[in-house]
Amino acid sequence: MMANSRNGTLYLGVTSDLAVRAYQHRNALVDGFTKEHGCTMLVWFEAYDDLQEARRRELQMKKWKRAWKIALIEQENPRWRDLFETLF
């Protein structure tokens, strides 16, 4: 999940290359929601070996209430640190 600030706008998506995709969002290289809303911080992620399983999880989470997504972020990342550097 990308965010523009703590408790701010959230973006949820799936990618086969998280480091590249997060870099694109951080640097506003992709037109769309994240660029329009300034979602540049990687605040939460899960890794999957199976892309179809990751897509199922994404669709499940997109139906979640916002409070559930925030709780998930704060469980693993209570300070809402930008996790981009942890990818390397």
Side-chain angles (χ1 to χ4, degrees):
M1 268 188 268
M2 304 292 293
N4 64 357
S5 65
R6 182 181 187 130
N7 296 315
T9 302
L10 299 175
Y11 170 79
L12 173 65
V14 170
T15 181
S16 60
D17 193 334
L18 181 57
V20 169
R21 191 67 170 152
Y23 177 86
Q24 292 170 339
H25 289 310
R26 287 168 58 86
N27 294 285
L29 301 176
V30 179
D31 289 334
F33 185 89
T34 57
K35 185 174 182 177
E36 291 170 18
H37 295 277
C39 296
T40 59
M41 299 170 27
L42 177 65
V43 294
W44 179 88
F45 64 91
E46 286 180 345
Y48 288 87
D49 292 327
D50 180 2
L51 189 55
Q52 293 301 336
E53 185 179 342
R55 287 188 176 139
R56 279 191 293 277
R57 177 69 163 158
E58 174 196 24
L59 292 175
Q60 174 192 48
M61 291 178 69
K62 284 190 173 190
K63 295 176 185 175
W64 283 14
K65 294 179 181 183
R66 175 181 169 77
W68 299 352
K69 294 173 190 172
I70 289 173
L72 183 64
I73 293 166
E74 292 190 343
Q75 178 181 348
E76 299 295 322
N77 187 6
R79 293 187 180 146
W80 289 64
R81 292 183 313 114
D82 186 351
L83 302 175
F84 180 73
E85 297 298 328
T86 69
L87 301 176
F88 306 98

